[in-house]
Amino acid sequence: MMNKKEISTLGMVKSGVYQRLSQDPSLNAVINGVFDNVDEKTPYPYIVLGAMTGSPWGSKTSAGQEVTLTIHTWSDYPGDEEILIKIHPLILEAISREPIDVGSGLSVMLARLEMEETLESPDGMTRQGIIRFRFRIMEV
């Protein structure tokens, strides 16, 4: 019996999403950057690429992976308007405009919104938006 090939695409998905969001002119007109890690001096609003999960997903002939990526948006605007009306729609548009580049030999077969929420931070002054996407990546 032959073992099925397994692949990891988390790094490629994160890199592809980072490139897409950090180079989107409409999104960058309303935020101060897209980050993997941010320090306390970073001015609001901004985006942080967060937790990821990956699980095997494939066919009889090609390996693949289903990946989730959580994107955090941070704002000091009073209320949720900046996150929900300005930033999240631009993230959705950027992700869904065309397939994310995940490198040669791989293709994004699915990119969909899995969940979206906002939270008021304990400091009472900042808001966090959370938006999670699910991607299905396959070898081509």
Side-chain angles (χ1 to χ4, degrees), residues 5-47:
K5 181 180 177 184
E6 300 292 344
I7 61 172
S8 175
T9 63
L10 273 71
M12 283 85 75
V13 170
K14 192 168 193 174
S15 177
V17 170
Y18 173 81
Q19 292 298 322
R20 175 66 54 84
L21 298 180
S22 66
Q23 295 175 8
D24 185 274
S26 298
L27 182 58
N28 284 284
V30 298
I31 63 167
N32 290 308
V34 178
F35 305 96
D36 185 38
N37 188 36
V38 35
D39 66 39
E40 60 214 30
K41 296 177 185 175
T42 304
Y44 297 102
Y46 57 83
I47 293 172

Side-chain angles (χ1 to χ4, degrees), residues 66-80:
E66 196 160 91
V67 173
T68 65
L69 171 61
T70 304
I71 299 171
H72 302 269
T73 53
W74 291 92
S75 170
D76 60 357
Y77 185 88
D80 291 331

